[in-house]
Amino acid sequence: RLRLHDGKLIKDRRYHLRTYPNCFVAKELTDWLIDHKEAPDRETGIRLMQKLMDHYIIHHVCDEHSDYKDAKLLYRFRKDDGTFPLSKDVKVFMRGQSLYEKLVSVEESILKVREENSVKYQRTFLGCEMIDWLIQEGEAENRKEAVELGRALLEHGIIQHVSNRHHFFDSDILYQFWINFRRRCRLTELLNENSSRALSESPDSPFCLRKLNPDPGNTSFLSVQTNKEIKIVSAVRRSSITSLAGNSNPYFSTTPTLVFPPVAECNPKSVLKRPVTNEELLSPGAPYIKKTLTIVGDAVGWGFVVRGGRPCHIQAVDPGGPAAAAGMKVCQFVFSVNGMYVLHLDYQTISSLIMTGPRTLMMEVMEAIE
Protein backbone atom coordinates (compact mmCIF):
# COMPACT_ATOMS: atom_id res chain seq x y z
CA ARG A 1 0.00 0.00 0.00
CA LEU A 2 2.77 2.42 0.93
CA ARG A 3 4.69 1.62 -2.25
CA LEU A 4 1.58 2.34 -4.30
CA HIS A 5 1.14 5.67 -2.53
CA ASP A 6 4.78 6.55 -3.25
CA GLY A 7 4.35 5.59 -6.91
CA LYS A 8 1.19 7.74 -7.21
CA LEU A 9 -0.93 4.76 -8.23
CA ILE A 10 -3.10 5.53 -5.23
CA LYS A 11 -4.57 9.01 -5.55
CA ASP A 12 -7.85 10.90 -5.72
CA ARG A 13 -9.72 9.99 -8.90
CA ARG A 14 -12.84 11.44 -10.52
CA TYR A 15 -15.51 9.25 -12.09
CA HIS A 16 -19.05 10.22 -13.18
CA LEU A 17 -18.78 13.69 -11.62
CA ARG A 18 -17.73 12.26 -8.27
CA THR A 19 -14.26 12.26 -6.68
CA TYR A 20 -13.07 9.09 -4.96
CA PRO A 21 -10.09 9.73 -2.64
CA ASN A 22 -7.11 7.39 -2.24
CA CYS A 23 -8.07 4.78 -4.81
CA PHE A 24 -6.40 2.87 -7.63
CA VAL A 25 -7.45 1.48 -11.00
CA ALA A 26 -7.46 -2.31 -10.99
CA LYS A 27 -5.99 -2.64 -14.48
CA GLU A 28 -3.15 -0.23 -13.63
CA LEU A 29 -2.38 -2.14 -10.44
CA THR A 30 -2.19 -5.44 -12.32
CA ASP A 31 0.31 -3.80 -14.70
CA TRP A 32 2.28 -2.54 -11.68
CA LEU A 33 2.42 -6.02 -10.08
CA ILE A 34 3.93 -7.47 -13.26
CA ASP A 35 6.34 -4.56 -13.82
CA HIS A 36 7.63 -4.82 -10.23
CA LYS A 37 7.85 -8.62 -10.36
CA GLU A 38 5.22 -9.10 -7.66
CA ALA A 39 3.30 -11.30 -10.09
CA PRO A 40 4.54 -13.26 -13.14
CA ASP A 41 1.37 -12.70 -15.17
CA ARG A 42 -2.05 -11.06 -15.09
CA GLU A 43 -3.87 -14.18 -13.91
CA THR A 44 -1.60 -14.45 -10.87
CA GLY A 45 -1.98 -10.74 -10.18
CA ILE A 46 -5.77 -11.09 -10.19
CA ARG A 47 -5.59 -14.05 -7.81
CA LEU A 48 -3.33 -12.10 -5.46
CA MET A 49 -5.66 -9.12 -5.33
CA GLN A 50 -8.62 -11.42 -4.79
CA LYS A 51 -6.81 -12.78 -1.73
CA LEU A 52 -6.55 -9.23 -0.40
CA MET A 53 -10.25 -8.70 -1.02
CA ASP A 54 -11.13 -11.95 0.72
CA HIS A 55 -9.19 -10.79 3.78
CA TYR A 56 -10.85 -7.34 3.88
CA ILE A 57 -7.69 -5.48 2.93
CA ILE A 58 -8.99 -3.91 -0.30
CA HIS A 59 -12.51 -3.39 -1.66
CA HIS A 60 -14.36 -1.79 -4.55
CA VAL A 61 -14.93 1.90 -3.79
CA CYS A 62 -18.72 1.47 -3.93
CA ASP A 63 -18.72 -2.20 -2.83
CA GLU A 64 -20.53 -3.08 -6.05
CA HIS A 65 -18.08 -5.86 -6.93
CA SER A 66 -17.15 -8.66 -4.55
CA ASP A 67 -14.54 -9.96 -7.02
CA TYR A 68 -11.37 -8.27 -8.18
CA LYS A 69 -11.75 -7.50 -11.88
CA ASP A 70 -8.81 -6.64 -14.13
CA ALA A 71 -10.60 -3.65 -15.59
CA LYS A 72 -10.91 0.13 -15.27
CA LEU A 73 -12.65 -0.17 -11.92
CA LEU A 74 -11.70 1.75 -8.78
CA TYR A 75 -10.62 -0.10 -5.65
CA ARG A 76 -9.25 1.14 -2.35
CA PHE A 77 -7.28 -0.13 0.63
CA ARG A 78 -9.51 -0.26 3.68
CA LYS A 79 -6.71 1.33 5.71
CA ASP A 80 -7.14 4.42 3.50
CA ASP A 81 -10.85 4.91 4.15
CA GLY A 82 -11.15 3.75 7.75
CA THR A 83 -13.11 0.57 7.02
CA PHE A 84 -10.34 -1.88 7.95
CA PRO A 85 -11.88 -4.06 10.70
CA LEU A 86 -9.91 -3.34 13.88
CA SER A 87 -11.31 -6.16 15.98
CA LYS A 88 -9.93 -7.00 19.41
CA ASP A 89 -7.84 -9.78 17.85
CA VAL A 90 -6.30 -7.47 15.25
CA LYS A 91 -5.50 -4.91 17.97
CA VAL A 92 -3.65 -7.58 19.98
CA PHE A 93 -1.72 -8.57 16.85
CA MET A 94 -0.73 -4.95 16.23
CA ARG A 95 0.26 -4.56 19.89
CA GLY A 96 2.51 -7.60 19.54
CA GLN A 97 4.12 -6.13 16.43
CA SER A 98 4.72 -2.82 18.25
CA LEU A 99 6.35 -4.57 21.21
CA TYR A 100 8.52 -6.68 18.91
CA GLU A 101 9.78 -3.63 17.02
CA LYS A 102 10.52 -1.89 20.30
CA LEU A 103 12.44 -4.89 21.62
CA VAL A 104 14.63 -5.44 18.57
CA SER A 105 15.50 -1.75 18.23
CA VAL A 106 17.33 -1.44 21.56
CA GLU A 107 20.97 -2.35 22.13
CA GLU A 108 20.59 -4.58 25.20
CA SER A 109 17.43 -6.39 24.24
CA ILE A 110 16.01 -9.20 26.35
CA LEU A 111 15.50 -11.12 23.07
CA LYS A 112 18.38 -13.55 22.73
CA VAL A 113 19.26 -16.86 21.14
CA ARG A 114 19.08 -19.40 23.94
CA GLU A 115 19.43 -23.13 24.29
CA GLU A 116 17.18 -25.41 26.30
CA ASN A 117 17.61 -29.18 26.48
CA SER A 118 20.24 -28.95 23.70
CA VAL A 119 17.84 -27.19 21.30
CA LYS A 120 18.50 -23.63 20.11
CA TYR A 121 15.65 -21.14 19.98
CA GLN A 122 15.51 -17.69 18.42
CA ARG A 123 14.02 -14.44 19.76
CA THR A 124 13.66 -15.88 23.26
CA PHE A 125 13.04 -14.28 26.64
CA LEU A 126 12.18 -15.39 30.15
CA GLY A 127 8.65 -14.70 31.34
CA CYS A 128 9.85 -12.70 34.34
CA GLU A 129 12.21 -10.70 32.09
CA MET A 130 9.33 -9.71 29.85
CA ILE A 131 7.23 -8.67 32.86
CA ASP A 132 10.07 -6.46 34.16
CA TRP A 133 10.58 -4.91 30.72
CA LEU A 134 6.87 -4.19 30.14
CA ILE A 135 6.64 -2.34 33.46
CA GLN A 136 9.94 -0.51 32.95
CA GLU A 137 8.84 0.72 29.49
CA GLY A 138 5.40 1.79 30.68
CA GLU A 139 3.66 -0.89 28.60
CA ALA A 140 1.97 -2.20 31.77
CA GLU A 141 1.29 -0.58 35.13
CA ASN A 142 1.89 -3.64 37.29
CA ARG A 143 2.87 -7.31 37.10
CA LYS A 144 -0.73 -8.51 36.95
CA GLU A 145 -1.47 -6.31 33.92
CA ALA A 146 1.78 -7.44 32.28
CA VAL A 147 0.89 -11.11 32.77
CA GLU A 148 -2.52 -10.50 31.19
CA LEU A 149 -0.83 -8.88 28.19
CA GLY A 150 1.60 -11.79 27.88
CA ARG A 151 -1.27 -14.27 28.00
CA ALA A 152 -3.15 -12.36 25.30
CA LEU A 153 -0.04 -12.43 23.09
CA LEU A 154 0.32 -16.18 23.61
CA GLU A 155 -3.36 -16.89 22.98
CA HIS A 156 -3.13 -15.00 19.70
CA GLY A 157 -0.11 -17.00 18.53
CA ILE A 158 2.36 -14.10 18.74
CA ILE A 159 4.55 -15.61 21.45
CA GLN A 160 4.79 -19.18 22.67
CA HIS A 161 6.55 -21.34 25.22
CA VAL A 162 9.50 -22.78 23.31
CA SER A 163 8.10 -26.31 23.46
CA ASN A 164 4.39 -25.38 23.71
CA ARG A 165 4.01 -26.82 27.19
CA HIS A 166 3.14 -23.76 29.28
CA HIS A 167 0.86 -20.78 29.23
CA PHE A 168 2.47 -17.41 30.01
CA PHE A 169 3.69 -17.03 33.60
CA ASP A 170 5.77 -14.56 35.60
CA SER A 171 8.63 -17.01 36.02
CA ASP A 172 11.92 -18.13 34.49
CA ILE A 173 10.18 -20.21 31.83
CA LEU A 174 11.53 -19.65 28.32
CA TYR A 175 9.32 -18.12 25.65
CA GLN A 176 9.92 -16.85 22.12
CA PHE A 177 8.27 -14.58 19.60
CA TRP A 178 6.63 -16.98 17.17
CA ILE A 179 6.30 -14.39 14.41
CA ASN A 180 9.25 -12.59 12.87
CA PHE A 181 7.53 -9.28 12.17
CA ARG A 182 10.54 -7.94 10.29
CA ARG A 183 10.42 -10.59 7.63
CA ARG A 184 9.05 -9.05 4.44
CA CYS A 185 6.46 -11.31 2.85
CA ARG A 186 6.04 -11.34 -0.91
CA LEU A 187 2.48 -11.37 -2.19
CA THR A 188 3.03 -14.54 -4.19
CA GLU A 189 3.52 -16.44 -0.92
CA LEU A 190 -0.24 -16.21 -0.45
CA LEU A 191 -0.72 -18.58 -3.36
CA ASN A 192 1.76 -21.16 -2.06
CA GLU A 193 -0.52 -22.23 0.78
CA ASN A 194 -1.93 -25.66 -0.04
CA SER A 195 -4.67 -25.70 2.58
CA SER A 196 -6.75 -23.40 4.71
CA ARG A 197 -5.10 -24.84 7.79
CA ALA A 198 -1.67 -23.88 6.49
CA LEU A 199 -2.89 -20.38 5.67
CA SER A 200 -4.23 -19.71 9.14
CA GLU A 201 -1.57 -21.47 11.19
CA SER A 202 1.67 -21.15 9.30
CA PRO A 203 3.99 -18.46 10.67
CA ASP A 204 5.25 -18.00 7.10
CA SER A 205 1.83 -16.81 6.00
CA PRO A 206 1.32 -13.05 5.71
CA PHE A 207 -2.15 -13.80 7.10
CA CYS A 208 -0.86 -15.55 10.20
CA LEU A 209 -3.29 -13.90 12.60
CA ARG A 210 -5.06 -16.61 14.54
CA LYS A 211 -6.37 -17.00 18.05
CA LEU A 212 -5.46 -19.93 20.23
CA ASN A 213 -7.77 -21.14 22.94
CA PRO A 214 -5.72 -22.55 25.80
CA ASP A 215 -7.76 -23.81 28.71
CA PRO A 216 -5.94 -23.49 32.06
CA GLY A 217 -7.17 -26.99 32.85
CA ASN A 218 -6.12 -28.44 29.53
CA THR A 219 -3.48 -31.14 29.75
CA SER A 220 -1.73 -29.52 26.79
CA PHE A 221 -0.17 -27.23 29.40
CA LEU A 222 2.01 -28.40 32.26
CA SER A 223 2.23 -26.82 35.68
CA VAL A 224 4.87 -24.15 36.18
CA GLN A 225 8.28 -25.60 36.85
CA THR A 226 11.60 -23.80 36.96
CA ASN A 227 13.96 -24.80 34.20
CA LYS A 228 17.68 -24.63 34.99
CA GLU A 229 18.85 -25.84 31.58
CA ILE A 230 18.39 -22.55 29.74
CA LYS A 231 21.56 -20.93 28.48
CA ILE A 232 22.33 -18.09 26.11
CA VAL A 233 23.92 -19.45 22.96
CA SER A 234 25.89 -16.38 21.92
CA ALA A 235 25.76 -12.64 21.78
CA VAL A 236 25.10 -11.79 18.15
CA ARG A 237 23.72 -8.91 16.15
CA ARG A 238 19.98 -9.18 15.88
CA SER A 239 20.17 -8.83 12.11
CA SER A 240 21.91 -12.21 11.93
CA ILE A 241 19.84 -13.95 14.53
CA THR A 242 17.98 -16.12 12.03
CA SER A 243 21.21 -17.67 10.81
CA LEU A 244 21.60 -19.53 14.07
CA ALA A 245 18.52 -21.65 13.68
CA GLY A 246 20.46 -24.52 12.21
CA ASN A 247 17.77 -25.50 9.73
CA SER A 248 15.89 -24.17 6.73
CA ASN A 249 12.97 -22.81 8.71
CA PRO A 250 13.61 -19.14 9.57
CA TYR A 251 11.19 -19.25 12.46
CA PHE A 252 11.46 -22.37 14.58
CA SER A 253 13.77 -25.04 15.81
CA THR A 254 10.77 -27.25 16.41
CA THR A 255 7.37 -27.50 14.78
CA PRO A 256 4.64 -25.73 16.76
CA THR A 257 1.87 -28.03 17.89
CA LEU A 258 -0.24 -26.04 20.28
CA VAL A 259 -2.87 -24.56 18.04
CA PHE A 260 -5.84 -26.68 18.96
CA PRO A 261 -6.16 -29.88 21.01
CA PRO A 262 -4.52 -32.87 19.30
CA VAL A 263 -7.78 -34.13 17.85
CA ALA A 264 -7.92 -31.08 15.58
CA GLU A 265 -4.38 -31.38 14.28
CA CYS A 266 -5.62 -33.03 11.09
CA ASN A 267 -8.63 -32.19 8.96
CA PRO A 268 -11.55 -33.79 10.79
CA LYS A 269 -14.01 -35.99 8.96
CA SER A 270 -17.19 -34.12 8.08
CA VAL A 271 -20.10 -34.68 10.43
CA LEU A 272 -22.51 -34.60 7.47
CA LYS A 273 -23.95 -37.95 6.44
CA ARG A 274 -23.90 -36.84 2.80
CA PRO A 275 -23.11 -33.71 0.76
CA VAL A 276 -25.90 -31.12 0.53
CA THR A 277 -26.14 -28.47 -2.20
CA ASN A 278 -27.54 -24.93 -2.01
CA GLU A 279 -30.18 -25.91 -4.55
CA GLU A 280 -31.36 -28.67 -2.25
CA LEU A 281 -31.49 -26.36 0.77
CA LEU A 282 -33.45 -23.65 -1.05
CA SER A 283 -35.79 -25.78 -3.14
CA PRO A 284 -39.52 -25.38 -2.35
CA GLY A 285 -40.71 -27.93 0.18
CA ALA A 286 -37.19 -28.90 1.24
CA PRO A 287 -37.10 -30.55 4.70
CA TYR A 288 -35.17 -27.69 6.31
CA ILE A 289 -36.19 -24.89 8.64
CA LYS A 290 -34.41 -21.59 9.17
CA LYS A 291 -33.49 -20.43 12.66
CA THR A 292 -32.05 -17.12 13.84
CA LEU A 293 -29.40 -17.30 16.56
CA THR A 294 -28.00 -14.45 18.64
CA ILE A 295 -24.64 -15.45 20.09
CA VAL A 296 -22.79 -13.19 22.51
CA GLY A 297 -19.11 -14.10 22.46
CA ASP A 298 -17.19 -14.54 25.69
CA ALA A 299 -13.51 -14.03 26.45
CA VAL A 300 -12.44 -16.96 24.25
CA GLY A 301 -14.86 -16.70 21.34
CA TRP A 302 -18.25 -18.10 20.38
CA GLY A 303 -17.67 -21.81 20.83
CA PHE A 304 -18.26 -23.43 17.44
CA VAL A 305 -16.41 -24.55 14.32
CA VAL A 306 -17.51 -23.91 10.71
CA ARG A 307 -16.35 -26.21 7.91
CA GLY A 308 -17.17 -27.01 4.30
CA GLY A 309 -18.26 -24.57 1.66
CA ARG A 310 -21.21 -23.64 -0.56
CA PRO A 311 -22.91 -24.31 1.85
CA CYS A 312 -20.86 -24.34 5.05
CA HIS A 313 -21.99 -26.36 8.03
CA ILE A 314 -21.42 -26.42 11.78
CA GLN A 315 -18.77 -29.05 12.39
CA ALA A 316 -18.51 -28.82 16.18
CA VAL A 317 -20.12 -26.95 19.08
CA ASP A 318 -18.63 -26.47 22.54
CA PRO A 319 -21.35 -27.76 24.92
CA GLY A 320 -20.48 -25.08 27.46
CA GLY A 321 -20.00 -22.23 25.01
CA PRO A 322 -22.16 -19.28 23.94
CA ALA A 323 -23.20 -20.93 20.64
CA ALA A 324 -24.65 -23.99 22.38
CA ALA A 325 -26.55 -21.73 24.79
CA ALA A 326 -28.06 -19.91 21.78
CA GLY A 327 -29.31 -23.15 20.24
CA MET A 328 -26.58 -23.95 17.71
CA LYS A 329 -26.23 -27.62 16.77
CA VAL A 330 -23.85 -29.73 14.74
CA CYS A 331 -24.88 -30.22 11.06
CA GLN A 332 -26.75 -26.92 10.78
CA PHE A 333 -26.01 -24.99 7.58
CA VAL A 334 -24.90 -21.33 7.75
CA PHE A 335 -27.35 -19.13 5.82
CA SER A 336 -26.28 -15.63 6.91
CA VAL A 337 -23.80 -13.89 9.21
CA ASN A 338 -24.70 -10.48 10.64
CA GLY A 339 -27.26 -9.99 7.87
CA MET A 340 -24.95 -11.07 5.04
CA TYR A 341 -26.03 -14.00 2.84
CA VAL A 342 -23.20 -16.57 2.92
CA LEU A 343 -24.46 -19.81 1.37
CA HIS A 344 -22.12 -19.22 -1.58
CA LEU A 345 -18.98 -18.69 0.55
CA ASP A 346 -16.34 -21.08 1.86
CA TYR A 347 -15.64 -21.56 5.54
CA GLN A 348 -12.43 -19.50 5.53
CA THR A 349 -14.36 -16.42 4.37
CA ILE A 350 -17.20 -17.03 6.82
CA SER A 351 -14.73 -17.49 9.68
CA SER A 352 -13.09 -14.19 8.72
CA LEU A 353 -16.48 -12.44 8.70
CA ILE A 354 -17.17 -13.72 12.18
CA MET A 355 -13.74 -12.91 13.60
CA THR A 356 -13.76 -9.35 12.26
CA GLY A 357 -17.36 -8.65 13.21
CA PRO A 358 -18.98 -7.53 16.46
CA ARG A 359 -18.93 -9.56 19.65
CA THR A 360 -22.69 -10.13 19.38
CA LEU A 361 -23.07 -12.45 16.42
CA MET A 362 -26.32 -12.71 14.47
CA MET A 363 -26.55 -15.92 12.46
CA GLU A 364 -29.24 -17.60 10.42
CA VAL A 365 -28.86 -21.34 10.14
CA MET A 366 -30.83 -24.02 8.29
CA GLU A 367 -31.58 -27.21 10.15
CA ALA A 368 -32.96 -30.50 8.87
CA ILE A 369 -36.47 -31.32 10.02
CA GLU A 370 -36.32 -34.51 12.04
Side-chain angles (χ1 to χ4, degrees):
R1 180 176 70 90
L2 296 178
R3 291 168 68 193
L4 294 175
H5 273 286
D6 291 341
K8 306 300 182 185
L9 260 75
I10 293 179
K11 59 185 179 182
D12 296 352
R13 298 175 185 270
R14 194 167 180 80
Y15 182 73
H16 283 183
L17 303 180
R18 179 178 175 182
T19 299
Y20 296 89
N22 293 321
C23 58
F24 59 87
V25 179
K27 191 175 186 302
E28 292 180 5
L29 180 55
T30 309
D31 294 335
W32 185 92
L33 291 172
I34 296 172
D35 292 342
H36 289 77
K37 302 190 185 308
E38 291 287 353
D41 50 53
R42 304 196 77 82
E43 180 184 357
T44 303
I46 294 168
R47 291 169 60 203
L48 288 172
M49 291 302 102
Q50 186 61 50
K51 281 281 188 181
L52 298 189
M53 288 196 72
D54 293 342
H55 287 81
Y56 301 97
I57 293 173
I58 65 174
H59 68 125
H60 181 255
V61 290
C62 298
D63 290 318
E64 293 177 353
H65 301 278
S66 59
D67 297 331
Y68 181 83
K69 301 182 185 299
D70 186 22
K72 291 184 178 180
L73 295 174
L74 299 181
Y75 291 82
R76 183 188 291 132
F77 279 83
R78 290 186 179 274
K79 286 281 284 185
D80 285 332
D81 63 10
T83 61
F84 182 72
L86 279 177
S87 65
K88 178 183 176 181
D89 296 336
V90 173
K91 289 179 180 177
V92 173
F93 185 86
M94 294 175 70
R95 182 77 183 278
Q97 182 178 22
S98 172
L99 292 175
Y100 181 86
E101 290 292 339
K102 197 171 181 179
L103 279 165
V104 299
S105 64
V106 297
E107 285 298 325
E108 297 297 328
S109 175
I110 62 173
L111 298 187
K112 294 180 174 68
V113 180
R114 291 179 171 92
E115 183 178 303
E116 180 178 289
N117 297 331
S118 301
V119 179
K120 293 179 183 178
Y121 298 97
Q122 307 167 57
R123 302 185 298 278
T124 68
F125 56 89
L126 300 177
C128 55
E129 282 183 337
M130 178 62 82
I131 299 296
D132 293 338
W133 181 83
L134 289 171
I135 296 173
Q136 175 186 326
E137 295 297 318
E139 297 287 349
E141 292 187 2
N142 50 56
R143 302 193 81 81
K144 179 182 177 182
E145 184 179 314
V147 169
E148 291 175 352
L149 174 56
R151 287 184 160 239
L153 295 175
L154 187 143
E155 290 171 8
H156 286 76
I158 296 166
I159 65 173
Q160 66 169 11
H161 175 248
V162 290
S163 56
N164 286 323
R165 302 172 71 191
H166 297 289
H167 209 312
F168 184 79
F169 293 102
D170 183 2
S171 68
D172 61 353
I173 295 177
L174 190 62
Y175 300 90
Q176 69 180 155
F177 269 86
W178 192 2
I179 301 171
N180 181 357
F181 288 103
R182 288 202 165 182
R183 174 178 176 268
R184 181 185 171 192
C185 300
R186 297 190 67 84
L187 285 176
T188 49
E189 293 178 42
L190 301 180
L191 304 180
N192 295 332
E193 310 289 356
N194 294 324
S195 67
S196 58
R197 180 178 179 274
L199 179 62
S200 62
E201 297 171 18
S202 168
D204 288 330
S205 170
F207 295 128
C208 53
L209 175 60
R210 69 270 186 217
K211 187 172 183 180
L212 312 183
N213 213 359
D215 181 350
N218 192 322
T219 55
S220 297
F221 289 111
L222 304 181
S223 58
V224 182
Q225 299 174 354
T226 56
N227 193 324
K228 303 301 182 183
E229 298 185 40
I230 301 172
K231 59 183 179 181
I232 298 177
V233 176
S234 61
V236 297
R237 293 187 305 144
R238 282 178 295 278
S239 59
S240 61
I241 202 168
T242 57
S243 64
L244 299 177
N247 57 35
S248 59
N249 190 325
Y251 285 85
F252 306 104
S253 297
T254 57
T255 302
T257 56
L258 181 63
V259 176
F260 297 100
V263 294
E265 281 300 312
C266 59
N267 290 328
K269 183 179 179 181
S270 174
V271 295
L272 299 178
K273 294 180 180 179
R274 63 178 181 81
V276 175
T277 65
N278 287 336
E279 290 73 16
E280 182 179 345
L281 281 177
L282 301 175
S283 63
Y288 296 94
I289 57 173
K290 187 187 298 182
K291 294 184 176 180
T292 301
L293 308 178
T294 303
I295 309 168
V296 181
D298 58 20
V300 294
W302 294 271
F304 67 95
V305 175
V306 178
R307 282 294 181 268
R310 305 176 182 87
C312 290
H313 63 274
I314 305 301
Q315 174 75 13
V317 179
D318 177 3
M328 180 173 285
K329 300 177 183 177
V330 170
C331 294
Q332 290 174 333
F333 295 95
V334 185
F335 183 86
S336 72
V337 173
N338 295 326
M340 180 178 178
Y341 174 78
V342 296
L343 280 182
H344 62 297
L345 301 178
D346 55 29
Y347 77 87
Q348 299 101 315
T349 306
I350 291 180
S351 297
S352 181
L353 282 173
I354 294 170
M355 290 296 290
T356 57
R359 181 179 178 186
T360 300
L361 177 64
M362 301 293 295
M363 287 185 64
E364 289 182 297
V365 296
M366 298 190 72
E367 179 181 308
I369 299 174
E370 297 181 358

